[in-house]
Amino acid sequence: MNTSYSTQQYNQEQLNTIECGIQPIPDITVETAHITPRSLYSFVRIVQLVLRFPNYCRHWMQQRHRRRVDIERIDSFLRKNVVLNISQINEDEHISINWIVDPSQSFYYYWSSIVSIAVLYNFIILIGRSAFLLLQERLLIIWLICDYLCDLCYIIDTFIQTRKGYLEQGLIVRDLEKLRKHYKQSRRFLFDIISLLPTDLLYLIPTCYLLPSLRFNRLFRVYRFFEFSNKVETQTNHPNIFRLVSLLIIILILIHWNACFYFIISRWIGYSTDSWVYNMTMPTGTTLTTQYLYCFFWSTLVLTNIGEVPPPETNIETLFVTADFLTGVIVFATIVGNVGSIIASMTAVRADFRQKVDQVKQYMTFRKVGNELERRVITWFDYLWLQKQVVNEDLVLDSLPQKLRVEIAKHIHLAALKRVPIFAEAQPGLLVELVTRLKLQIFSPGDYVCRKGDIGKEMYIIKRGRLHVVSDDGTKIFVTLEEGSVFGEISILNIPGSKTGNRRTANIRSVGYSDLFCLTKQDLWEVLVEYPSARDTLIERGKAHLRKDNLLDENAAQIAQQDQAALPEKLTQLQTNIDYLETRIARIMGEYKAIMIKLNRRLQFIEQLAEKNSIIMIDENKKNTLNLVGIDTSDDDV
């Protein structure tokens, strides 16, 4: 009995644990001598549950995975259009790890400046060392150090060029293989390889020992200097000055090269052999400073054609001078043309401004405007020019895309617009729409911005200057409005129940020259059509301002609000009446067409009868006429 009871108790506990999802370890302390069929059945049952446990785990894992997949497949658009795999993710991660140079970033800009310095060094110093041997001998160690520093700079620049990104479909390419392939297919790759050829190894030849001319292949990287110049010209705020400086540098380099060629030819022909070559017998002719300055002076006279030089005496001298004269003509024409275009660009804005002023002056003279008003107009133009103001900003920004124009307008006007109390907590989208509608207006000293009783069509934000709130006769000053003040914002909201009737309540006069941002009522309501909730909020804030000054008629405002609330119902009724009228008109038109068809048929029938009657009457008239004549008109004869 004790054994059977313990077995039953054990089986009951086993079933309870199975129902709870827990698989207990069987108790193996039971003696085999007391095993009964019931206990054997329980033992087999336990073994089966233990064997099924992996299947239960597998089933639970499958259900969990299925739930996770269902969550990931919620968005059908992503399921149909976005295909991601492990290899693609690994490839993107690999690409993001690579270091890519963005040519629009500051790093490439500053690195280009360093490479440009190295290019200028080679362009100026190599030819100078080849021509003036004293320059090569005195600072030989320094030149060698600088040479190999430039070579190191070239090597680093070549490595950077292999990782320089470019745009493809509006996105910068970051795949190293594509970047290297793009670089190898470009002309830059050929120039860079030529500029890196180890021509310095020719120094080992005794006759070529430390000849600077062996490094002339470094000049093939000159395109990097022009690339940097174009980038600076685009980014600088003074492009005309930079163009002038760049032109001057190029001219000086040409004169420098021509001076070096002159000294080389003089050395080849022989110093002091005639009057054209360099005279080494001068008191200071053997010094480096005198040699270079004289050659530079001679080159300047020849290339600019502004002075006389000793005539050539040999054929080589004649050919060289002729080539210099031809080059000088081209250089002079280039200087005149470029300087003229630069000066024209620098004065283009002022010339356009002066043209507008002259047109206004001619108009005032033609219309015989008074001297006082003419003086005020001219003074206004002077102020506009001194303050560097633009009369029409839209024309200046017209070349920019809409997104950038909005960003510029936000940068200029958003802070000023947030100062307006009714716009302080407006939606960002509403503020962005409004800042693009703000216009700049400039008022002269003594000009009235608005007068009492005028209908309010604009609101104003003071950008610069001071304004006075004065009495009707203008003698008494009530308030002075400073920079950042706002007025006229209530009158453009068309608040129902306003006792002022959307009219100005004060006279505001400009003390000196004042710059004001203006927002018209039409622009405001065009924007508020897209923001109905913001419109209701602005009207409520406007009502609160009017209540503070006791300028709001609550009854009229309530009636207007009721009318506004009933407006949808009225519109619905009006639409119903219009539909009914359209139906009635369509029926009338149908009846009219049917009546016209019947009337047309009757007219045709009447016309036919009239034709028959007219024929009968004609026949009777003929018979009567014949009877009168005496002719028998019997039917047989007829």
Side-chain angles (χ1 to χ4, degrees), residues 242-254:
F242 178 77
R243 294 190 193 107
L244 189 61
V245 173
S246 299
L247 178 62
L248 182 61
I249 291 174
I250 293 173
I251 293 172
L252 291 176
I253 291 176
L254 289 176

Side-chain angles (χ1 to χ4, degrees), residues 240 243-244 247 251 331-348 351:
N240 294 318
R243 294 190 193 107
L244 189 61
L247 178 62
I251 293 172
V331 170
F332 184 77
T334 304
I335 293 173
V336 173
N338 282 275
V339 172
S341 62
I342 291 172
I343 294 175
S345 299
M346 294 174 65
T347 60

Side-chain angles (χ1 to χ4, degrees), residues 362-623:
Q362 292 175 2
Y363 176 81
M364 291 189 296
T365 303
F366 177 74
R367 294 299 181 183
K368 297 180 180 179
V369 178
N371 294 331
E372 179 62 25
L373 182 57
E374 185 176 354
R375 183 190 61 81
R376 289 178 58 190
V377 171
I378 295 174
T379 306
W380 181 82
F381 273 114
D382 290 339
Y383 169 79
L384 199 68
W385 177 255
L386 291 175
Q387 296 296 325
K388 304 298 181 184
Q389 299 284 1
V390 181
V391 179
N392 193 345
E393 296 182 358
D394 293 336
L395 293 178
V396 178
L397 302 177
D398 189 48
S399 59
L400 295 178
Q402 182 64 23
K403 181 64 177 178
L404 292 180
R405 295 177 65 180
V406 171
E407 292 295 331
I408 292 176
K410 286 170 59 178
H411 180 75
I412 297 174
H413 305 312
L414 187 58
L417 190 62
K418 288 184 177 180
R419 296 174 183 172
V420 183
I422 60 174
F423 297 132
E425 298 178 358
Q427 300 178 16
L430 175 64
L431 295 178
V432 170
E433 291 286 341
L434 292 178
V435 293
T436 58
R437 309 296 181 101
L438 289 178
K439 305 297 180 183
L440 180 65
Q441 293 186 4
I442 301 175
F443 293 89
S444 303
D447 289 347
Y448 277 88
V449 180
C450 60
R451 292 182 180 271
K452 186 177 181 180
D454 294 343
I455 297 176
K457 296 180 180 180
E458 305 94 3
M459 61 162 287
Y460 297 96
I461 303 172
I462 302 176
K463 176 187 177 184
R464 185 187 297 114
R466 290 188 302 170
L467 291 86
H468 284 163
V469 180
V470 298
S471 58
D472 294 338
D473 55 2
T475 57
K476 188 176 181 180
I477 300 174
F478 299 110
V479 180
T480 300
L481 302 178
E482 301 287 345
E483 178 180 346
S485 300
V486 182
F487 60 92
E489 68 274 16
I490 303 299
S491 60
I492 65 175
L493 289 175
N494 290 334
I495 298 176
S498 175
K499 295 180 180 180
T500 60
N502 295 329
R503 294 182 178 272
R504 303 295 188 187
T505 59
N507 302 298
I508 300 179
R509 184 177 62 193
S510 177
V511 179
Y513 286 99
S514 302
D515 300 343
L516 278 69
F517 290 129
C518 172
L519 178 63
T520 63
K521 180 188 295 185
Q522 180 180 358
D523 290 337
L524 175 64
W525 283 97
E526 286 179 358
V527 175
L528 290 180
V529 170
E530 305 294 335
Y531 297 90
S533 60
R535 177 190 58 198
D536 299 337
T537 303
L538 292 178
I539 291 177
E540 290 299 325
R541 291 178 181 174
K543 288 181 180 180
H545 283 281
L546 292 176
R547 289 191 185 96
K548 292 180 181 179
D549 299 332
N550 196 20
L551 296 176
L552 182 65
D553 188 351
E554 297 292 346
N555 295 329
Q558 187 174 3
I559 293 172
Q561 186 175 1
Q562 292 176 357
D563 293 341
Q564 185 71 20
L567 184 60
E569 183 178 353
K570 293 180 179 179
L571 291 175
T572 304
Q573 184 64 32
L574 181 62
Q575 184 66 35
T576 303
N577 295 336
I578 292 174
D579 294 340
Y580 176 74
L581 290 176
E582 289 179 350
T583 304
R584 292 288 300 167
I585 291 173
R587 290 178 180 176
I588 292 172
M589 291 298 297
E591 294 175 357
Y592 171 76
K593 289 180 180 179
I595 292 173
M596 291 299 296
I597 291 173
K598 292 180 180 179
L599 182 62
N600 189 19
R601 290 176 180 175
R602 290 180 181 180
L603 288 175
Q604 292 178 356
F605 180 73
I606 293 172
E607 288 177 354
Q608 293 175 358
L609 291 177
E611 290 179 357
K612 291 180 180 180
N613 291 332
S614 62
I615 293 172
I616 294 172
M617 291 179 67
I618 291 172
D619 293 339
E620 290 179 353
N621 290 331
K622 287 182 179 180
K623 290 179 180 182

Side-chain angles (χ1 to χ4, degrees), residues 281-382:
T281 61
M282 292 187 298
T284 58
T286 57
T287 60
L288 177 62
T289 304
T290 303
Q291 292 175 1
Y292 182 76
L293 289 179
Y294 179 81
C295 293
F296 193 87
F297 172 73
W298 183 92
S299 177
T300 304
L301 293 180
V302 173
L303 292 181
T304 56
N305 297 320
I306 60 176
E308 296 183 358
V309 294
E313 298 182 6
T314 63
N315 294 334
I316 296 176
E317 295 173 359
T318 303
L319 291 175
F320 181 71
V321 173
T322 303
D324 270 3
F325 282 152
L326 294 177
T327 306
V329 171
I330 298 174
V331 170
F332 184 77
T334 304
I335 293 173
V336 173
N338 282 275
V339 172
S341 62
I342 291 172
I343 294 175
S345 299
M346 294 174 65
T347 60
V349 178
R350 185 172 182 85
D352 183 65
F353 183 80
R354 284 300 177 189
Q355 183 180 3
K356 293 179 180 179
V357 175
D358 293 340
Q359 291 176 355
V360 175
K361 286 181 180 179
Q362 292 175 2
Y363 176 81
M364 291 189 296
T365 303
F366 177 74
R367 294 299 181 183
K368 297 180 180 179
V369 178
N371 294 331
E372 179 62 25
L373 182 57
E374 185 176 354
R375 183 190 61 81
R376 289 178 58 190
V377 171
I378 295 174
T379 306
W380 181 82
F381 273 114
D382 290 339

Side-chain angles (χ1 to χ4, degrees), residues 25-290:
I25 298 174
D27 189 2
I28 59 176
T29 58
V30 181
E31 296 179 358
T32 58
H34 301 283
I35 294 178
T36 61
R38 188 177 183 89
S39 62
L40 182 61
Y41 171 79
S42 300
F43 178 75
V44 172
R45 180 66 176 170
I46 293 171
V47 171
Q48 290 178 351
L49 292 174
V50 170
L51 293 176
R52 290 178 182 176
F53 180 74
N55 294 330
Y56 292 150
C57 294
R58 189 182 300 108
H59 181 68
W60 177 76
M61 292 293 293
Q62 291 176 353
Q63 288 183 344
R64 184 178 179 182
H65 177 70
R66 192 179 297 110
R67 286 195 299 267
R68 185 174 68 250
V69 171
D70 292 339
I71 293 174
E72 291 177 355
R73 293 182 178 179
I74 290 176
D75 194 342
S76 61
F77 178 80
L78 293 178
R79 185 177 66 250
K80 293 178 181 179
N81 298 281
V82 180
V83 179
L84 294 176
N85 50 51
I86 302 301
S87 61
Q88 183 177 358
I89 294 174
N90 294 333
E91 182 180 356
D92 294 339
E93 292 179 354
H94 177 69
I95 292 174
S96 63
I97 294 174
N98 296 328
W99 179 67
I100 303 300
V101 178
D102 189 351
S104 62
Q105 298 298 325
S106 300
F107 170 77
Y108 189 75
Y109 177 78
Y110 293 122
W111 173 251
S112 298
S113 65
I114 297 174
V115 178
S116 300
I117 294 173
V119 171
L120 284 178
Y121 165 80
N122 288 322
F123 243 91
I124 296 173
I125 300 300
L126 289 181
I127 187 65
R129 290 159 53 190
S130 300
F132 301 95
L133 300 180
L134 293 177
L135 182 65
Q136 169 75 358
E137 294 172 359
R138 291 183 180 180
L139 302 173
L140 180 60
I141 302 300
I142 295 177
W143 298 137
L144 292 177
I145 294 173
C146 293
D147 287 346
Y148 293 112
L149 285 177
C150 291
D151 290 348
L152 178 62
C153 180
Y154 279 17
I155 294 172
I156 297 174
D157 184 62
T158 304
F159 172 74
I160 290 177
Q161 292 296 320
T162 59
R163 293 176 174 265
K164 177 185 174 182
Y166 65 94
L167 294 179
E168 187 178 80
Q169 297 181 352
L171 299 175
I172 187 169
V173 178
R174 296 184 175 276
D175 188 359
L176 284 179
E177 294 297 329
K178 295 182 67 175
L179 294 179
R180 290 167 182 162
K181 183 178 179 181
H182 181 265
Y183 175 59
K184 291 178 180 178
Q185 293 176 351
S186 64
R187 189 180 300 176
R188 297 178 289 116
F189 176 72
L190 178 62
F191 292 156
D192 292 345
I193 293 299
I194 295 175
S195 64
L196 287 178
L197 292 177
T199 55
D200 295 355
L201 296 177
L202 297 177
Y203 285 167
L204 300 176
I205 301 175
T207 57
C208 300
Y209 181 68
L210 296 180
L211 284 180
S213 57
L214 296 177
R215 296 178 52 84
F216 277 0
N217 62 315
R218 298 330 189 243
L219 305 182
F220 278 89
R221 206 176 283 253
V222 68
Y223 77 91
R224 293 287 283 121
F225 172 76
F226 293 106
E227 180 184 351
F228 174 70
S229 299
N230 294 332
K231 199 170 188 64
V232 173
E233 184 178 349
T234 304
Q235 295 187 0
T236 183
N237 293 327
H238 305 283
N240 294 318
I241 297 176
F242 178 77
R243 294 190 193 107
L244 189 61
V245 173
S246 299
L247 178 62
L248 182 61
I249 291 174
I250 293 173
I251 293 172
L252 291 176
I253 291 176
L254 289 176
I255 295 174
H256 168 76
W257 271 68
N258 191 58
C260 294
F261 283 141
Y262 170 72
F263 197 77
I264 291 172
I265 293 176
S266 297
R267 185 177 61 207
W268 184 50
I269 296 175
Y271 301 119
S272 306
T273 56
D274 54 38
S275 61
W276 184 84
V277 298
Y278 180 77
N279 187 8
M280 193 66 74
T281 61
M282 292 187 298
T284 58
T286 57
T287 60
L288 177 62
T289 304
T290 303

